[in-house]
């Protein structure tokens, strides 16, 4: 690989690692706060899968970047503007319905995305995707079930489900946005064509919506910016927690 | 029964997954079988009746001059047991007199619960954990305590990422299920 391509691939791996790290952190916030014990275990296990996924992507990016870069410097020593995760991952965990609706929307996306990334000409990205998709199948099975349970539940669970979907909907278009970097890597067979995932994703989520009482939001608004480092005000607060120890005791190890 | 033939498409006889056949061949044809025996002592820290070889985590052992190079594959990407396993491999090799070693992590082929052989599955059952049900991720396991198939799922995720929680409707005992993955 020539140097420009190596760096572009590293940037791509950082994006995917940031998505996993930030969502994994949000899920980990449920530890000891789950609605009941089994659900507490499930949320934190899914969080762990995402942290593992982040380590694989960021570790690979660090290896490509070389020098002093490690998965830890990427996770703990960058500031908001350097994070490139999609905005939907950083939104506060909200109530249980919000967490599960976000998870469901992202799980359906992950299944499509990782299936494609598994065919990447970059063998390391393909291997990570091959590993992660097996976990996402379990995640989706559970989040889909929660969509149906909340949708079939009480007036309150339906209201919370609907509110969550309304609040999240405008963050979903960013999942399908291609930019110069990803387009160039896609043309080389490395990256996934996100735009092509939109139709099958819509079909999957609409089929679940149709089994519940929710009304599909009409859209009309969208927020983007994560890939260029323009984040919501929530990311800084998240990082102050995630990076606390390294900021208080730089370089600390245990 | 454990078959040692690679997969043949169109066959109806249950055969080993191809990658598992190759893994067993690497051990069978290794020019330093004693190293594999050393690492048979390294167990999964969360399921101490199964070795990392039986679990399918241990992929290969090679020698580069004086250095022993061990290749492992993670069960789940965030599995915290992997760090412990790496340390225990190092300790086992050092104790056996192999001071120079390196542990590599390989992601592909992605780990599968189908790599576990019948003997390891039996020990898992005896330990009180239902062994993975072959094939369908949606099939329910039988109770490892009384053998009943009348069970209910309590949680998709148990005490570790690789397990789910079930309860037996006959003997009423809850049990861990090592998920088909
Ligand atoms: Zn029983």
């Amino acid at each position: 690989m020539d140097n420009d391509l190596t760096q572009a691939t590293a940037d791509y791996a950082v994006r995917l690692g940031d998505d996993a790290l930030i969502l994994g952190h949000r899920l980990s916030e449920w530890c000891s706060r789950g609605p009941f014990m089994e659900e507490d275990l499930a949320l934190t296990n899914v969080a762990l899968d995402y942290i593992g996924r982040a380590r694989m992507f960021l570790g690979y990016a660090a290896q490509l970047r070389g020098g002093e870069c490690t998965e830890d410097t990427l996770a703990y020593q960058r500031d908001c503007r350097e994070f490139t995760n999609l905005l939907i991952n950083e939104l506060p965990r909200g109530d249980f319905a919000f967490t599960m609706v976000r998870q469901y929307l992202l799980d359906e996306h992950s299944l499509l995305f990782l299936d494609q990334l598994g065919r990447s000409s970059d063998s390391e990205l393909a291997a990570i995707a091959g590993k992660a998709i097996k976990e996402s199948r379990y995640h989706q099975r559970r989040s889909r079930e929660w969509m149906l349970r909340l949708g079939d539940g009480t007036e309150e669970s339906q209201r919370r489900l609907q509110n969550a979907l309304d609040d999240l909907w405008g963050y979903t278009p960013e999942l399908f946005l291609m930019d110069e970097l990803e387009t160039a890597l896609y043309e080389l067979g490395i990256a996934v064509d996100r735009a092509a995932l939109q139709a099958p994703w819509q079909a999957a989520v609409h089929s679940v919506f149709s089994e519940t009482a929710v009304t599909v939001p009409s859209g009309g608004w969208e927020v983007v910016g994560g890939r260029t480092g323009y984040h919501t005000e929530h990311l800084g607060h998240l990082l102050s927690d995630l990076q606390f120890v390294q900021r208080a005791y730089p370089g600390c190890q245990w | 029964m454990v078959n040692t033939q690679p997969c043949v498409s169109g066959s109806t006889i249950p055969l080993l997954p191809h990658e598992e056949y190759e893994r067993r061949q690497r051990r069978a044809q290794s020019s330093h079988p004693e190293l594999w025996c050393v690492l048979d002592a390294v167990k999964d820290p969360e399921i101490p009746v199964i070795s990392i070889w039986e679990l399918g985590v241990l992929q290969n052992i090679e020698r580069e001059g004086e250095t022993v190079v061990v290749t492992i594959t993670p069960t789940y990407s965030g599995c915290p047991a992997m760090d412990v396993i790496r340390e225990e491999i190092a300790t086992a090799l050092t104790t056996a007199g192999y001071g120079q070693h390196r542990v590599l992590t390989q992601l592909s082929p992605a780990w599968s619960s189908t790599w576990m052989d019948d003997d390891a599955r039996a020990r898992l059952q005896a330990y009180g954990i239902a062994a993975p049900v072959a094939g369908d991720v949606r099939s329910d396991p039988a109770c490892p305590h009384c053998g009943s198939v009348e069970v209910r799922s309590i949680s998709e995720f148990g005490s570790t990422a690789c397990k789910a929680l079930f309860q037996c409707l006959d003997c009423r005992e809850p049990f861990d299920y090592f998920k088909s993955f």
Side-chain angles (χ1 to χ4, degrees), chain A:
Chain A
M1 264 200 274
D2 69 55
N3 195 45
D4 285 352
L5 181 55
T6 304
Q7 291 317 312
T9 306
D11 292 348
Y12 186 56
V14 167
R15 291 176 171 199
L16 303 179
D18 285 350
D19 286 341
L21 179 66
I22 300 303
L23 183 63
H25 184 84
R26 282 299 185 213
L27 288 164
S28 77
E29 292 174 351
W30 279 98
C31 187
S32 83
R33 295 185 178 92
F36 49 90
M37 201 180 65
E38 288 76 15
E39 203 42 53
D40 204 281
L41 286 171
L43 286 160
T44 44
N45 267 304
V46 177
L48 201 54
D49 285 342
Y50 273 94
I51 304 296
R53 198 174 293 187
R55 291 189 62 182
M56 294 191 289
F57 281 124
L58 296 180
Y60 180 46
Q63 184 195 321
L64 292 174
R65 285 189 180 171
E68 305 283 292
C69 185
T70 68
E71 61 184 52
D72 284 342
T73 63
L74 289 170
Y76 297 121
Q77 295 178 13
R78 285 179 302 150
D79 215 335
C80 277
R81 284 297 311 273
E82 296 165 281
F83 271 81
T84 52
N85 59 282
L86 298 173
L87 301 177
I88 191 169
N89 297 293
E90 73 198 42
L91 300 175
R93 68 178 188 277
D95 59 11
F96 182 69
F98 186 90
T99 286
M100 288 322 298
V101 175
R102 163 166 58 191
Q103 198 57 41
Y104 172 68
L105 298 175
L106 291 176
D107 286 342
E108 290 288 7
H109 181 266
S110 288
L111 291 183
L112 296 165
F113 183 88
L114 294 171
D115 177 56
Q116 291 300 311
L117 190 65
R119 300 157 208 257
S120 171
S121 61
D122 184 294
S123 60
E124 189 65 20
L125 291 176
I128 297 171
K131 186 92 202 120
I133 196 169
K134 297 181 88 176
E135 294 160 359
S136 280
R137 285 192 196 112
Y138 265 101
H139 302 168
Q140 184 264 2
R141 183 178 153 186
R142 172 174 153 275
S143 61
R144 181 180 187 282
E145 194 154 300
W146 268 114
M147 290 293 292
L148 302 177
R149 275 176 78 176
L150 294 171
D152 278 348
T154 60
E155 209 172 284
E156 182 181 1
S157 75
Q158 288 170 4
R159 175 174 55 77
R160 287 175 183 258
L161 180 66
Q162 185 68 57
N163 287 347
L165 191 60
D166 291 344
D167 288 347
L168 282 157
W169 199 246
Y171 290 94
T172 59
E174 199 181 27
L175 293 167
F176 308 102
L177 209 60
M178 291 294 279
D179 65 2
E180 207 179 318
L181 175 81
E182 297 197 12
T183 304
L185 289 174
Y186 167 67
E187 282 163 3
L188 294 165
I190 295 170
V192 174
D193 179 9
R194 293 176 169 275
L197 307 181
Q198 190 153 20
W201 180 83
Q202 290 273 1
V205 301
H206 278 95
S207 97
V208 166
F209 295 159
S210 70
E211 290 182 57
T212 69
V214 297
T215 314
V216 183
S218 54
W221 64 281
E222 62 180 68
V223 189
V224 300
R227 288 291 191 239
T228 47
Y230 288 100
H231 291 278
T232 67
E233 69 272 31
H234 307 296
L235 184 66
H237 295 284
L238 182 154
L239 292 180
S240 71
D241 189 15
L242 189 152
Q243 300 178 332
F244 175 79
V245 174
Q246 284 301 324
R247 285 174 184 270
Y249 306 96
C252 132
Q253 295 192 331
W254 64 89

Side-chain angles (χ1 to χ4, degrees), chain B residues 144-160:
Chain B
H145 306 296
C146 75
S148 168
V149 292
E150 299 299 317
V151 298
R152 73 179 181 102
S153 160
I154 299 177
S155 174
E156 295 270 342
F157 296 87
S159 52
T160 62

Side-chain angles (χ1 to χ4, degrees), chain B residues 11 20 29 38-39 77 92 102 124-125 130 144 149 156 158:
Chain B
S11 168
E20 173 59 6
Q29 293 172 1
V38 168
L39 294 192
S77 31
R102 209 164 67 233
L124 204 57
Q125 295 274 137
V149 292
E156 295 270 342

